Amino acid sequence: MISRRKLISASIAAVAAPVLLTTVRRTASASTAATLPVQLANNTSSATVYAYVLGLDLNQGNSWAFLQSDGSTLYHPPSPSAPGAALGADCAIALSAPGAPARTIYVPHLASGRIYFSVGKKLTFLVNPGPGIAMPSVSNPSDPNIATPYSFCEFTYDTNQLYANISYVDFASVPISFDLQTPQGEQTVNGLPAGGLETVASALRAQAASDGGDWAKLIVTDASGAALRVLSPNTAITSTPSLFSGYLDSYIDQVWTKYQSTDLVIDTQASWGSTTGRVSNGVLNFPGVGSFTKPSTAAVFNCSSAPFTTGNDEMGNLSARLAAALNRTTLLADANQPDGEDPSAFYQQPRTNHYARILHQTATDHLGYAFPYDDVHPAGVDFEGRVQSASPTSLTISVGAGQGGSGGSTATPTPTPTATATAGGGTSAFGTIQAESFAGQSGTATEACGDTGGGQDVGWIANGDWLSYDDIDFGSAGATQFQARVASGAAAGVSGLIQIRLASPTGPVVGSLSVGNTGGWQSWRTVPAAISGATGTHTVCLTFSSGQAADFVNLNWFTFKAS
């Protein structure tokens, strides 16, 4: 598999001087078509949106190339005599107006590529001797693009395959989503929803107020005060090194203490297999391989400065997995990395990479690179927001609001009746309890509901997620049946259980029902299950269990019945 760290030939430094990017030699045997049709859809509210497609031309000695404004002709910038030369050709590809058919372009074999989208005005790219390309920079205040809303996605299209991902490693701004068509089926990555950037900014402000961290300083606003983009911690620290100083120190100290007496097993997920390390004299040692001094917060967020290395050797593979676990703050709970990881336990420490947590939580399908090693995962799951195929037929990239997650409907909702209150002030178990009325939740999100009555449902529900509802009154006689209004568009072989628990997400199970594919994420069915032991007033928790990591159910409402 191509990872993001292999996809980009060199990082783009956030400095005032133009940046020279180096090239990488690649070889492959022919299999994919010479060009790939890519539809660029404008889902913004602006009629002025541009795309820029650039990468290393595999047919021209890995030289830098842009698609020109016609969307099919390549332009190879010549090497200028001095840094900061103009690009020399019009490479701004104008998208259609919102709601109009997508603009189709034809992308040839390019490696280490990016597709930039800008809203409202064109972007400026400069050329350095070499030639090298100076990309737009979000951390250089004098960059000519600094006030322009823009985002990019990354791709490599070579003779072996297409690989593309949505990246938030540097920053988040204008939403981007993917829809890849292949003979084997469709692959989608849905990106941020409408209003997602403001949601992220609001959550960062709340986190800063909660723990005193520098999270609100990641937000860059435009002249009106609205969020223009949100910088990653790594990007922000690059220009302001004092940010987040010591933020993760307490957690890292606890990790280093734990592994003085506990083995840390890291699976390189490569030919080197697994290796075991322990901390001695303040150094995490993996005998016969290498060692890690205790990292700083900045090193954890950037994943590339000492003690981490970025090579494709055994130490590089250990670095990636150690850095991922530190960003997700799972090392106190899991000594078997990454094979023993439980995604529901990611980012649960009070001090963690809250930028990554919030972006994954806000993205409609929870996918997208939020730090450099976000492609580290146990077998069978992924988090990085990629599409990949050896036989792609077409790719649609939408700029603007994401295209929905697990079956989001765009229908205008109408109100749905809510549960009734009891004389004691609780909520009657025997009325209709709307799923979105939860008092607490983990791992889920709400969306517009296409069921009768409209309103909202709770979606993106997968193994380990839960919902809680306070003060549900079953009365003295109690309930003997649970009914849930569910929908599922889960893939073949993906199913799960809804477990009804009392008091907490780990409380006693009083009943459960099985859910499989219903025909679509908005194809609703009412499914019953027998329960026992539910009398009086309780917090009711619905926990979701599945043997697969994929989302398996949407929930609109539920109720209880007495015999």
Side-chain angles (χ1 to χ4, degrees), residues 304-321:
S304 58
S305 59
F308 304 113
T309 66
T310 58
N312 285 324
D313 56 5
E314 188 170 2
M315 272 297 287
N317 278 262
L318 290 178
S319 289
R321 285 144 186 82

Side-chain angles (χ1 to χ4, degrees), residues 255-265 276-279 284 331-332 334-336:
V255 169
W256 249 240
T257 298
K258 173 182 174 72
Y259 291 106
Q260 290 176 5
S261 56
T262 303
D263 286 342
L264 174 59
V265 179
T276 300
R278 280 208 181 192
V279 172
L284 177 57
L331 281 165
L332 295 179
D334 180 19
N336 180 20

Side-chain angles (χ1 to χ4, degrees), residues 261-289:
S261 56
T262 303
D263 286 342
L264 174 59
V265 179
I266 296 183
D267 183 355
T268 63
Q269 300 176 301
S271 60
W272 303 283
S274 296
T275 186
T276 300
R278 280 208 181 192
V279 172
S280 176
N281 297 320
V283 177
L284 177 57
N285 297 294
F286 292 88
V289 182

Side-chain angles (χ1 to χ4, degrees), residues 40-49 95-103 398-401 403:
L40 305 178
N42 180 2
N43 290 338
T44 74
S45 59
S46 173
T48 307
V49 178
L95 271 62
S96 305
R103 170 80 184 268
S398 299
V399 56
Q403 296 305 289

